[in-house]
Amino acid sequence: MTQAPNIEYEMPKAYESGKVEQKWYQFWLDKGYFKPEIDPEKKPFVIIMPPPNVTGELHVGHALTATLEDIMTRWHRMKGEPALWLPGVDHAGIAAQVVVEQLLAKEGLDRHQLGREKFLERMRQWAEECRHTIAEQHQRLGASCDWSRERFTLDEGPSRAVRTAFVRLYQKGLIYRGERIINWCPRCATALSDLEVEHKDIQGHLYYVRYHLAEDDQGFITVATTRPETILGDTAVAVNPEDDRFKAMVGKKVILPVVNREIPIVADEAVDPGFGTGAVKITPAHDPVDFEVAQRHGLQLVNILNPDATMNENAGPYLGLDRFACRKAIVSDLEKEGLLIKIEPYSHSVGHCQRCQTMIEPLASKQWFVNMSPLAKPAIDAATDGRITIIPERFTKVYLNWMENIRDWCISRQLWWGHRIPVWYCQDCGELTVTVDDAKACSRCGSNNIEQDPDVLDTWFSSALWTHSTLGWPDDTEELRYFYPTSVMETGYDILFFWVARMIMMGLEDTGDIPFHTVYLHGLIRDERGEKMSKIRGNVLNPIDTLERYGTDAMRFALSTGTSPGNDIKLTVSRLEAGRNFANKLWNATRFIIRSIGSADADMKIQWHLLPVEDRWILSRLSRTVLSVTGLMEDFQFGEAQRQIHDFLWGEFCDWYIEIAKIRLQSAGEAVSPIPVLVHVLETSLRLLHPYMPFVTEELWQNLKRHLSSEWQTTDSIMIATYPEASKAAIDPEAERIVEPLVEIIRSIRNARAQYKVESTRWIEAQIYAGSLASQLKQYTKTIEVLSRAKPVTLLDSRLENAEGKNVLVLVLKDSEVVIPMESMVDLAAEKKRLQAEIEQSQAEITRLEVRLKSRDFLTKAPKAVVDKEKDKLVSRKDKLARLKQQLNRFN
RNA sequence: GGGCAGUUAGCUCAGUUGGUUAGAGCACUCGGUUCACAUCCGAGAGGUCAAGGGUUCGAGUCCCCUACUGCCCACCA
């Protein structure tokens, strides 16, 4: 058994330095708290962590993910559920390969020089380093995930899942190989899926080019294009069949400029007669629409590009030129030949590689695709019939819209880093062998002369299987049976399509069941200026630097408090400071309470029947807070939940209860000690807060426990203590009705002091008329004295109808009045002004209430409780108004 | 071209079944070396909840419309 670490009573600085954090993390780890037990009697809570890419270190976005997932996991664990949070990392295909290629470039190497095997070895080393760094960083964030189940997408298990899924889809006819227009990144030298292309508006040009008719020197047709270099790949000109201008030309041939090839004029619906000249050049190998036109008309495909986007042999004289150089050259040649009619500035959207920002070339190429529509249908149903809930709800529409318009997914990548496509081509008979285990021979002719497809799969293909591949699928494991479907998928809304949608499709396809019940989408982290963080902008915040500076809990506070799902978060210094200050406040409050315990007797039993009003009040407020926080958490409103814990602890417990309790502690003797309540509220609040701020709560909780008797020693750690349960029994409206005016009285005296600039060291007298509350407030005269620095405070039996003298200040409150004899003259003018303002305000409110209460509709249609409330309010406001007026009369 | 969000105090943002006088942090003003805390304490100022219309007894909250900002999706050469 691991012993709880020996706790030196350190100041917050020690906590900020990270020592406390590391101490506790190690403690939890040693205790094995992160690993849930499989208990068939209990329903588990499961989150599979979105695996960070092995491209370097974590950024604040990951810290947000980790924070939210840790909050949920810790909360459910404290509720006694077997809570599994399964961590992992993603090999990240292109993204990681790009990083390592850059590292190689610094050494003057490229991957082709190394060769596939050596390069992959290098990649594996790199991935292993990253995995290490990432795990370490997660630990610093306090992530309570089960490291014994950590997975990497290229691990044996997940890899077998990938192959199995591929083979099954292939056998069902849902994976096919074919020549289609794909997005080609010339820099990465690979095909990309549509999602991996970012469209940006580019200020370009529209070139109008004349194509002469073949049999008629005079006749011509003019086309408009943004990419004149693709003329080299034209195999037709198309016009709309309904376009009278060109009807006569359809079927004739034109001479392709520059290359002087004859190509036909065809009629096709796809052409918009209103755009450009109404005639379109058709480049089937380099444009998706043209590709389809070509299919319909049986046109030839002419590919004019090499993989690196230089011109190939089909470009004739332009062979070897870069695509942009070629464009210039062609434009200049067209001009020379008088075929360029005009150039117009034109803004259009151009695809760029998501990873390297290189301009994409649409290219006809033979690739592997997944036919998505059959997979989308069950995924649509799951979100429509309520089996899967997306938070915030608005993303359901976005999800459905994408699903309903889904297009086939190009999954092959011409990379080395990733899951190799499990397909072998027979060099003898040409048959494809598609198997999970490495093929040794052709499945048809048995030849050993087979070669595996050199390509790898899109990294998102393995991600799509993550929820089940991490739990053992395709095997029927105990883990899979127990933990699947998982509970929550928590991630950023930016990967809804990339990942979440595909996981739902593949989860349903592979297991027949949804992968998770709830999708929680968080917002993106932005910098102080509201800009998205990116390496290119150089505004990326390293979460480790941040937590070293402010403390992990402060950062978690900054990331989760006062935020809401799906909305972006601006991470500012002041947010971080607020978190740090809150941790510090807790530290100090706990220190105070621990010191108080030391000087009192050790019995912390609350004597419920003897409790004074303020004890009942704070216990009531605690109950309400627990009730509300629990409800909010069940509703995934973590930001609001934490804000309420913060406000309760700081604004009520520290500001009022502790301050009042101090007075009791100082006047030794007859009174009931506040210490049991102090301890109870603190201890409960720490548990309530623990999911959010795990380190400071553990440190303080452990410290507190050391001063308590054995019956408090329920668990070895706060993280496995039970989560507070709301007790409605402790809600005490009567106590609240007394403490509220008490607070109001104290505030009003403090206010008067400030207004009249009474020196802080000077005491003033106060007399209070509290009507029906007098008897309960009687025992609080000392409290009022100490907290408002007024002495003596006396309670009046009756109102001072007309307080005598001009140097008496009368404060009219809701149900009470405070009379303060002033040493010097009261500023009459100022007082009159203040009273008049109050009267006006009061009068306005009364008018509003009266109007409302005269309305028959209101009286009959509003709920009775609301009506009664308004009636009571009117009575009390009228009373206050009358008293205000009397005070004003004093001055007249 | 579609779709979605945001617009609340000087700044950053909360405010989820419509129900008192709309909140917090930071910033600001004034006052504080009281033994938990100056990473603090006390007091204060600051908002026609973007504009307009509607539904309702009652709207920051629901509906319509407008403006501005941002995002997503989309094969107009």
Side-chain angles (χ1 to χ4, degrees), chain A residues 272 346 407 584 861:
Chain A
D272 172 6
Y346 185 65
R407 293 182 299 164
N584 184 62
K861 289 179 184 166

mmCIF file with all atom_site columns, all heavy atoms in Angstrom, chain A residues 272 346 407 584 861, chain B residues 36 39 41 57 75 77:
data_model
loop_
_atom_site.group_PDB
_atom_site.id
_atom_site.type_symbol
_atom_site.label_atom_id
_atom_site.label_alt_id
_atom_site.label_comp_id
_atom_site.label_asym_id
_atom_site.label_entity_id
_atom_site.label_seq_id
_atom_site.pdbx_PDB_ins_code
_atom_site.Cartn_x
_atom_site.Cartn_y
_atom_site.Cartn_z
_atom_site.occupancy
_atom_site.B_iso_or_equiv
_atom_site.pdbx_formal_charge
_atom_site.auth_seq_id
_atom_site.auth_comp_id
_atom_site.auth_asym_id
_atom_site.auth_atom_id
_atom_site.pdbx_PDB_model_num
ATOM 1   N N     . ASP A 1 272 ? -23.494 26.730 -67.807 1.00 0.00 ? 272 ASP A N     1
ATOM 2   C CA    . ASP A 1 272 ? -24.382 27.854 -67.497 1.00 0.00 ? 272 ASP A CA    1
ATOM 3   C C     . ASP A 1 272 ? -24.222 28.892 -68.603 1.00 0.00 ? 272 ASP A C     1
ATOM 4   O O     . ASP A 1 272 ? -23.166 29.506 -68.729 1.00 0.00 ? 272 ASP A O     1
ATOM 5   C CB    . ASP A 1 272 ? -23.970 28.432 -66.129 1.00 0.00 ? 272 ASP A CB    1
ATOM 6   C CG    . ASP A 1 272 ? -24.722 29.718 -65.820 1.00 0.00 ? 272 ASP A CG    1
ATOM 7   O OD1   . ASP A 1 272 ? -25.628 30.090 -66.592 1.00 0.00 ? 272 ASP A OD1   1
ATOM 8   O OD2   . ASP A 1 272 ? -24.408 30.331 -64.786 1.00 0.00 ? 272 ASP A OD2   1
ATOM 9   N N     . TYR A 1 346 ? -10.701 38.460 -61.444 1.00 0.00 ? 346 TYR A N     1
ATOM 10  C CA    . TYR A 1 346 ? -11.771 37.552 -61.051 1.00 0.00 ? 346 TYR A CA    1
ATOM 11  C C     . TYR A 1 346 ? -11.421 36.876 -59.721 1.00 0.00 ? 346 TYR A C     1
ATOM 12  O O     . TYR A 1 346 ? -10.342 36.307 -59.558 1.00 0.00 ? 346 TYR A O     1
ATOM 13  C CB    . TYR A 1 346 ? -11.960 36.496 -62.145 1.00 0.00 ? 346 TYR A CB    1
ATOM 14  C CG    . TYR A 1 346 ? -13.127 35.563 -61.883 1.00 0.00 ? 346 TYR A CG    1
ATOM 15  C CD1   . TYR A 1 346 ? -14.429 36.041 -61.867 1.00 0.00 ? 346 TYR A CD1   1
ATOM 16  C CD2   . TYR A 1 346 ? -12.906 34.211 -61.656 1.00 0.00 ? 346 TYR A CD2   1
ATOM 17  C CE1   . TYR A 1 346 ? -15.491 35.190 -61.636 1.00 0.00 ? 346 TYR A CE1   1
ATOM 18  C CE2   . TYR A 1 346 ? -13.956 33.348 -61.433 1.00 0.00 ? 346 TYR A CE2   1
ATOM 19  C CZ    . TYR A 1 346 ? -15.255 33.843 -61.422 1.00 0.00 ? 346 TYR A CZ    1
ATOM 20  O OH    . TYR A 1 346 ? -16.295 33.005 -61.189 1.00 0.00 ? 346 TYR A OH    1
ATOM 21  N N     . ARG A 1 407 ? -20.505 12.464 -49.776 1.00 0.00 ? 407 ARG A N     1
ATOM 22  C CA    . ARG A 1 407 ? -19.886 12.014 -51.028 1.00 0.00 ? 407 ARG A CA    1
ATOM 23  C C     . ARG A 1 407 ? -18.846 10.951 -50.710 1.00 0.00 ? 407 ARG A C     1
ATOM 24  O O     . ARG A 1 407 ? -18.414 10.824 -49.571 1.00 0.00 ? 407 ARG A O     1
ATOM 25  C CB    . ARG A 1 407 ? -19.264 13.208 -51.739 1.00 0.00 ? 407 ARG A CB    1
ATOM 26  C CG    . ARG A 1 407 ? -20.361 14.172 -52.209 1.00 0.00 ? 407 ARG A CG    1
ATOM 27  C CD    . ARG A 1 407 ? -19.818 15.337 -52.955 1.00 0.00 ? 407 ARG A CD    1
ATOM 28  N NE    . ARG A 1 407 ? -18.919 16.104 -52.107 1.00 0.00 ? 407 ARG A NE    1
ATOM 29  C CZ    . ARG A 1 407 ? -18.071 17.004 -52.576 1.00 0.00 ? 407 ARG A CZ    1
ATOM 30  N NH1   . ARG A 1 407 ? -17.999 17.231 -53.859 1.00 0.00 ? 407 ARG A NH1   1
ATOM 31  N NH2   . ARG A 1 407 ? -17.297 17.685 -51.755 1.00 0.00 ? 407 ARG A NH2   1
ATOM 32  N N     . ASN A 1 584 ? -5.806  30.406 -4.548  1.00 0.00 ? 584 ASN A N     1
ATOM 33  C CA    . ASN A 1 584 ? -5.165  31.044 -3.408  1.00 0.00 ? 584 ASN A CA    1
ATOM 34  C C     . ASN A 1 584 ? -6.171  31.343 -2.285  1.00 0.00 ? 584 ASN A C     1
ATOM 35  O O     . ASN A 1 584 ? -5.877  31.145 -1.108  1.00 0.00 ? 584 ASN A O     1
ATOM 36  C CB    . ASN A 1 584 ? -4.508  32.339 -3.887  1.00 0.00 ? 584 ASN A CB    1
ATOM 37  C CG    . ASN A 1 584 ? -3.744  33.027 -2.782  1.00 0.00 ? 584 ASN A CG    1
ATOM 38  O OD1   . ASN A 1 584 ? -2.794  32.469 -2.259  1.00 0.00 ? 584 ASN A OD1   1
ATOM 39  N ND2   . ASN A 1 584 ? -4.180  34.217 -2.426  1.00 0.00 ? 584 ASN A ND2   1
ATOM 40  N N     . LYS A 1 861 ? -54.092 34.764 -15.373 1.00 0.00 ? 861 LYS A N     1
ATOM 41  C CA    . LYS A 1 861 ? -53.251 33.895 -16.204 1.00 0.00 ? 861 LYS A CA    1
ATOM 42  C C     . LYS A 1 861 ? -51.899 33.544 -15.597 1.00 0.00 ? 861 LYS A C     1
ATOM 43  O O     . LYS A 1 861 ? -51.340 32.488 -15.901 1.00 0.00 ? 861 LYS A O     1
ATOM 44  C CB    . LYS A 1 861 ? -53.052 34.530 -17.576 1.00 0.00 ? 861 LYS A CB    1
ATOM 45  C CG    . LYS A 1 861 ? -54.335 34.490 -18.406 1.00 0.00 ? 861 LYS A CG    1
ATOM 46  C CD    . LYS A 1 861 ? -54.127 35.144 -19.748 1.00 0.00 ? 861 LYS A CD    1
ATOM 47  C CE    . LYS A 1 861 ? -55.439 35.190 -20.516 1.00 0.00 ? 861 LYS A CE    1
ATOM 48  N NZ    . LYS A 1 861 ? -55.382 36.099 -21.670 1.00 0.00 ? 861 LYS A NZ    1
ATOM 49  P P     . A   B 2 36  ? -6.824  35.769 11.035  1.00 0.00 ? 36  A   B P     1
ATOM 50  O OP1   . A   B 2 36  ? -7.785  36.823 10.689  1.00 0.00 ? 36  A   B OP1   1
ATOM 51  O OP2   . A   B 2 36  ? -6.983  35.014 12.293  1.00 0.00 ? 36  A   B OP2   1
ATOM 52  O "O5'" . A   B 2 36  ? -6.752  34.716 9.858   1.00 0.00 ? 36  A   B "O5'" 1
ATOM 53  C "C5'" . A   B 2 36  ? -5.683  33.773 9.776   1.00 0.00 ? 36  A   B "C5'" 1
ATOM 54  C "C4'" . A   B 2 36  ? -5.484  33.361 8.333   1.00 0.00 ? 36  A   B "C4'" 1
ATOM 55  O "O4'" . A   B 2 36  ? -6.696  32.712 7.860   1.00 0.00 ? 36  A   B "O4'" 1
ATOM 56  C "C3'" . A   B 2 36  ? -5.260  34.519 7.358   1.00 0.00 ? 36  A   B "C3'" 1
ATOM 57  O "O3'" . A   B 2 36  ? -3.891  34.867 7.322   1.00 0.00 ? 36  A   B "O3'" 1
ATOM 58  C "C2'" . A   B 2 36  ? -5.730  33.899 6.038   1.00 0.00 ? 36  A   B "C2'" 1
ATOM 59  O "O2'" . A   B 2 36  ? -4.761  33.016 5.530   1.00 0.00 ? 36  A   B "O2'" 1
ATOM 60  C "C1'" . A   B 2 36  ? -6.926  33.065 6.506   1.00 0.00 ? 36  A   B "C1'" 1
ATOM 61  N N9    . A   B 2 36  ? -8.204  33.786 6.434   1.00 0.00 ? 36  A   B N9    1
ATOM 62  C C8    . A   B 2 36  ? -8.779  34.587 7.372   1.00 0.00 ? 36  A   B C8    1
ATOM 63  N N7    . A   B 2 36  ? -9.951  35.069 7.034   1.00 0.00 ? 36  A   B N7    1
ATOM 64  C C5    . A   B 2 36  ? -10.164 34.535 5.775   1.00 0.00 ? 36  A   B C5    1
ATOM 65  C C6    . A   B 2 36  ? -11.220 34.659 4.860   1.00 0.00 ? 36  A   B C6    1
ATOM 66  N N6    . A   B 2 36  ? -12.324 35.381 5.100   1.00 0.00 ? 36  A   B N6    1
ATOM 67  N N1    . A   B 2 36  ? -11.123 34.005 3.693   1.00 0.00 ? 36  A   B N1    1
ATOM 68  C C2    . A   B 2 36  ? -10.031 33.276 3.465   1.00 0.00 ? 36  A   B C2    1
ATOM 69  N N3    . A   B 2 36  ? -8.959  33.072 4.244   1.00 0.00 ? 36  A   B N3    1
ATOM 70  C C4    . A   B 2 36  ? -9.096  33.735 5.395   1.00 0.00 ? 36  A   B C4    1
ATOM 71  P P     . U   B 2 39  ? -0.617  40.444 -4.063  1.00 0.00 ? 39  U   B P     1
ATOM 72  O OP1   . U   B 2 39  ? 0.239   39.586 -3.268  1.00 0.00 ? 39  U   B OP1   1
ATOM 73  O OP2   . U   B 2 39  ? -0.051  41.202 -5.168  1.00 0.00 ? 39  U   B OP2   1
ATOM 74  O "O5'" . U   B 2 39  ? -1.899  39.619 -4.577  1.00 0.00 ? 39  U   B "O5'" 1
ATOM 75  C "C5'" . U   B 2 39  ? -2.627  39.999 -5.797  1.00 0.00 ? 39  U   B "C5'" 1
ATOM 76  C "C4'" . U   B 2 39  ? -3.592  38.867 -6.017  1.00 0.00 ? 39  U   B "C4'" 1
ATOM 77  O "O4'" . U   B 2 39  ? -2.827  37.750 -6.492  1.00 0.00 ? 39  U   B "O4'" 1
ATOM 78  C "C3'" . U   B 2 39  ? -4.225  38.478 -4.678  1.00 0.00 ? 39  U   B "C3'" 1
ATOM 79  O "O3'" . U   B 2 39  ? -5.576  38.876 -4.506  1.00 0.00 ? 39  U   B "O3'" 1
ATOM 80  C "C2'" . U   B 2 39  ? -3.712  37.032 -4.382  1.00 0.00 ? 39  U   B "C2'" 1
ATOM 81  O "O2'" . U   B 2 39  ? -4.765  36.195 -4.044  1.00 0.00 ? 39  U   B "O2'" 1
ATOM 82  C "C1'" . U   B 2 39  ? -3.009  36.621 -5.661  1.00 0.00 ? 39  U   B "C1'" 1
ATOM 83  N N1    . U   B 2 39  ? -1.727  35.954 -5.472  1.00 0.00 ? 39  U   B N1    1
ATOM 84  C C2    . U   B 2 39  ? -1.684  34.617 -5.820  1.00 0.00 ? 39  U   B C2    1
ATOM 85  O O2    . U   B 2 39  ? -2.660  34.015 -6.200  1.00 0.00 ? 39  U   B O2    1
ATOM 86  N N3    . U   B 2 39  ? -0.471  34.016 -5.686  1.00 0.00 ? 39  U   B N3    1
ATOM 87  C C4    . U   B 2 39  ? 0.709   34.619 -5.278  1.00 0.00 ? 39  U   B C4    1
ATOM 88  O O4    . U   B 2 39  ? 1.725   33.962 -5.222  1.00 0.00 ? 39  U   B O4    1
ATOM 89  C C5    . U   B 2 39  ? 0.594   35.998 -4.947  1.00 0.00 ? 39  U   B C5    1
ATOM 90  C C6    . U   B 2 39  ? -0.598  36.602 -5.047  1.00 0.00 ? 39  U   B C6    1
ATOM 91  P P     . C   B 2 41  ? -11.003 39.354 -1.176  1.00 0.00 ? 41  C   B P     1
ATOM 92  O OP1   . C   B 2 41  ? -11.934 38.229 -0.995  1.00 0.00 ? 41  C   B OP1   1
ATOM 93  O OP2   . C   B 2 41  ? -10.935 40.068 -2.458  1.00 0.00 ? 41  C   B OP2   1
ATOM 94  O "O5'" . C   B 2 41  ? -11.267 40.435 -0.046  1.00 0.00 ? 41  C   B "O5'" 1
ATOM 95  C "C5'" . C   B 2 41  ? -11.298 40.037 1.310   1.00 0.00 ? 41  C   B "C5'" 1
ATOM 96  C "C4'" . C   B 2 41  ? -11.518 41.233 2.184   1.00 0.00 ? 41  C   B "C4'" 1
ATOM 97  O "O4'" . C   B 2 41  ? -10.333 42.081 2.142   1.00 0.00 ? 41  C   B "O4'" 1
ATOM 98  C "C3'" . C   B 2 41  ? -12.617 42.170 1.719   1.00 0.00 ? 41  C   B "C3'" 1
ATOM 99  O "O3'" . C   B 2 41  ? -13.903 41.684 2.064   1.00 0.00 ? 41  C   B "O3'" 1
ATOM 100 C "C2'" . C   B 2 41  ? -12.250 43.436 2.464   1.00 0.00 ? 41  C   B "C2'" 1
ATOM 101 O "O2'" . C   B 2 41  ? -12.558 43.337 3.837   1.00 0.00 ? 41  C   B "O2'" 1
ATOM 102 C "C1'" . C   B 2 41  ? -10.731 43.430 2.293   1.00 0.00 ? 41  C   B "C1'" 1
ATOM 103 N N1    . C   B 2 41  ? -10.315 44.189 1.099   1.00 0.00 ? 41  C   B N1    1
ATOM 104 C C2    . C   B 2 41  ? -10.244 45.591 1.200   1.00 0.00 ? 41  C   B C2    1
ATOM 105 O O2    . C   B 2 41  ? -10.537 46.121 2.284   1.00 0.00 ? 41  C   B O2    1
ATOM 106 N N3    . C   B 2 41  ? -9.868  46.322 0.129   1.00 0.00 ? 41  C   B N3    1
ATOM 107 C C4    . C   B 2 41  ? -9.571  45.710 -1.023  1.00 0.00 ? 41  C   B C4    1
ATOM 108 N N4    . C   B 2 41  ? -9.204  46.470 -2.050  1.00 0.00 ? 41  C   B N4    1
ATOM 109 C C5    . C   B 2 41  ? -9.638  44.293 -1.161  1.00 0.00 ? 41  C   B C5    1
ATOM 110 C C6    . C   B 2 41  ? -10.015 43.577 -0.080  1.00 0.00 ? 41  C   B C6    1
ATOM 111 P P     . C   B 2 57  ? -52.142 37.053 -22.900 1.00 0.00 ? 57  C   B P     1
ATOM 112 O OP1   . C   B 2 57  ? -53.143 36.202 -22.228 1.00 0.00 ? 57  C   B OP1   1
ATOM 113 O OP2   . C   B 2 57  ? -52.499 37.877 -24.066 1.00 0.00 ? 57  C   B OP2   1
ATOM 114 O "O5'" . C   B 2 57  ? -51.488 38.004 -21.800 1.00 0.00 ? 57  C   B "O5'" 1
ATOM 115 C "C5'" . C   B 2 57  ? -52.162 39.202 -21.397 1.00 0.00 ? 57  C   B "C5'" 1
ATOM 116 C "C4'" . C   B 2 57  ? -51.488 39.771 -20.171 1.00 0.00 ? 57  C   B "C4'" 1
ATOM 117 O "O4'" . C   B 2 57  ? -51.661 38.843 -19.068 1.00 0.00 ? 57  C   B "O4'" 1
ATOM 118 C "C3'" . C   B 2 57  ? -49.983 39.923 -20.281 1.00 0.00 ? 57  C   B "C3'" 1
ATOM 119 O "O3'" . C   B 2 57  ? -49.649 41.135 -20.916 1.00 0.00 ? 57  C   B "O3'" 1
ATOM 120 C "C2'" . C   B 2 57  ? -49.545 39.898 -18.826 1.00 0.00 ? 57  C   B "C2'" 1
ATOM 121 O "O2'" . C   B 2 57  ? -49.776 41.122 -18.183 1.00 0.00 ? 57  C   B "O2'" 1
ATOM 122 C "C1'" . C   B 2 57  ? -50.498 38.843 -18.248 1.00 0.00 ? 57  C   B "C1'" 1
ATOM 123 N N1    . C   B 2 57  ? -49.927 37.480 -18.246 1.00 0.00 ? 57  C   B N1    1
ATOM 124 C C2    . C   B 2 57  ? -48.904 37.179 -17.326 1.00 0.00 ? 57  C   B C2    1
ATOM 125 O O2    . C   B 2 57  ? -48.493 38.056 -16.568 1.00 0.00 ? 57  C   B O2    1
ATOM 126 N N3    . C   B 2 57  ? -48.386 35.935 -17.302 1.00 0.00 ? 57  C   B N3    1
ATOM 127 C C4    . C   B 2 57  ? -48.857 35.001 -18.140 1.00 0.00 ? 57  C   B C4    1
ATOM 128 N N4    . C   B 2 57  ? -48.318 33.794 -18.078 1.00 0.00 ? 57  C   B N4    1
ATOM 129 C C5    . C   B 2 57  ? -49.880 35.281 -19.084 1.00 0.00 ? 57  C   B C5    1
ATOM 130 C C6    . C   B 2 57  ? -50.386 36.521 -19.104 1.00 0.00 ? 57  C   B C6    1
ATOM 131 P P     . C   B 2 75  ? -18.559 20.876 -54.098 1.00 0.00 ? 75  C   B P     1
ATOM 132 O OP1   . C   B 2 75  ? -18.778 19.585 -54.732 1.00 0.00 ? 75  C   B OP1   1
ATOM 133 O OP2   . C   B 2 75  ? -17.537 21.059 -53.036 1.00 0.00 ? 75  C   B OP2   1
ATOM 134 O "O5'" . C   B 2 75  ? -18.279 21.952 -55.216 1.00 0.00 ? 75  C   B "O5'" 1
ATOM 135 C "C5'" . C   B 2 75  ? -16.948 22.117 -55.687 1.00 0.00 ? 75  C   B "C5'" 1
ATOM 136 C "C4'" . C   B 2 75  ? -16.972 22.374 -57.164 1.00 0.00 ? 75  C   B "C4'" 1
ATOM 137 O "O4'" . C   B 2 75  ? -17.300 21.154 -57.871 1.00 0.00 ? 75  C   B "O4'" 1
ATOM 138 C "C3'" . C   B 2 75  ? -18.046 23.353 -57.620 1.00 0.00 ? 75  C   B "C3'" 1
ATOM 139 O "O3'" . C   B 2 75  ? -17.567 24.667 -57.492 1.00 0.00 ? 75  C   B "O3'" 1
ATOM 140 C "C2'" . C   B 2 75  ? -18.272 22.949 -59.058 1.00 0.00 ? 75  C   B "C2'" 1
ATOM 141 O "O2'" . C   B 2 75  ? -17.258 23.446 -59.887 1.00 0.00 ? 75  C   B "O2'" 1
ATOM 142 C "C1'" . C   B 2 75  ? -18.138 21.432 -58.988 1.00 0.00 ? 75  C   B "C1'" 1
ATOM 143 N N1    . C   B 2 75  ? -19.427 20.718 -58.808 1.00 0.00 ? 75  C   B N1    1
ATOM 144 C C2    . C   B 2 75  ? -20.442 20.837 -59.780 1.00 0.00 ? 75  C   B C2    1
ATOM 145 O O2    . C   B 2 75  ? -20.241 21.556 -60.754 1.00 0.00 ? 75  C   B O2    1
ATOM 146 N N3    . C   B 2 75  ? -21.600 20.176 -59.607 1.00 0.00 ? 75  C   B N3    1
ATOM 147 C C4    . C   B 2 75  ? -21.779 19.411 -58.530 1.00 0.00 ? 75  C   B C4    1
ATOM 148 N N4    . C   B 2 75  ? -22.942 18.779 -58.405 1.00 0.00 ? 75  C   B N4    1
ATOM 149 C C5    . C   B 2 75  ? -20.778 19.263 -57.536 1.00 0.00 ? 75  C   B C5    1
ATOM 150 C C6    . C   B 2 75  ? -19.625 19.918 -57.715 1.00 0.00 ? 75  C   B C6    1
ATOM 151 P P     . A   B 2 77  ? -15.632 29.555 -60.779 1.00 0.00 ? 77  A   B P     1
ATOM 152 O OP1   . A   B 2 77  ? -15.056 29.382 -59.479 1.00 0.00 ? 77  A   B OP1   1
ATOM 153 O OP2   . A   B 2 77  ? -16.463 30.725 -61.102 1.00 0.00 ? 77  A   B OP2   1
ATOM 154 O "O5'" . A   B 2 77  ? -14.464 29.434 -61.854 1.00 0.00 ? 77  A   B "O5'" 1
ATOM 155 C "C5'" . A   B 2 77  ? -14.788 29.506 -63.209 1.00 0.00 ? 77  A   B "C5'" 1
ATOM 156 C "C4'" . A   B 2 77  ? -14.531 28.159 -63.792 1.00 0.00 ? 77  A   B "C4'" 1
ATOM 157 O "O4'" . A   B 2 77  ? -15.725 27.765 -64.458 1.00 0.00 ? 77  A   B "O4'" 1
ATOM 158 C "C3'" . A   B 2 77  ? -13.392 28.154 -64.802 1.00 0.00 ? 77  A   B "C3'" 1
ATOM 159 O "O3'" . A   B 2 77  ? -12.622 26.964 -64.649 1.00 0.00 ? 77  A   B "O3'" 1
ATOM 160 C "C2'" . A   B 2 77  ? -14.100 28.217 -66.141 1.00 0.00 ? 77  A   B "C2'" 1
ATOM 161 O "O2'" . A   B 2 77  ? -13.416 27.476 -67.106 1.00 0.00 ? 77  A   B "O2'" 1
ATOM 162 C "C1'" . A   B 2 77  ? -15.456 27.583 -65.855 1.00 0.00 ? 77  A   B "C1'" 1
ATOM 163 N N9    . A   B 2 77  ? -16.532 28.216 -66.610 1.00 0.00 ? 77  A   B N9    1
ATOM 164 C C8    . A   B 2 77  ? -16.486 29.358 -67.351 1.00 0.00 ? 77  A   B C8    1
ATOM 165 N N7    . A   B 2 77  ? -17.615 29.661 -67.938 1.00 0.00 ? 77  A   B N7    1
ATOM 166 C C5    . A   B 2 77  ? -18.478 28.656 -67.554 1.00 0.00 ? 77  A   B C5    1
ATOM 167 C C6    . A   B 2 77  ? -19.835 28.400 -67.831 1.00 0.00 ? 77  A   B C6    1
ATOM 168 N N6    . A   B 2 77  ? -20.576 29.188 -68.613 1.00 0.00 ? 77  A   B N6    1
ATOM 169 N N1    . A   B 2 77  ? -20.399 27.317 -67.290 1.00 0.00 ? 77  A   B N1    1
ATOM 170 C C2    . A   B 2 77  ? -19.645 26.527 -66.498 1.00 0.00 ? 77  A   B C2    1
ATOM 171 N N3    . A   B 2 77  ? -18.350 26.656 -66.161 1.00 0.00 ? 77  A   B N3    1
ATOM 172 C C4    . A   B 2 77  ? -17.822 27.756 -66.720 1.00 0.00 ? 77  A   B C4    1
#
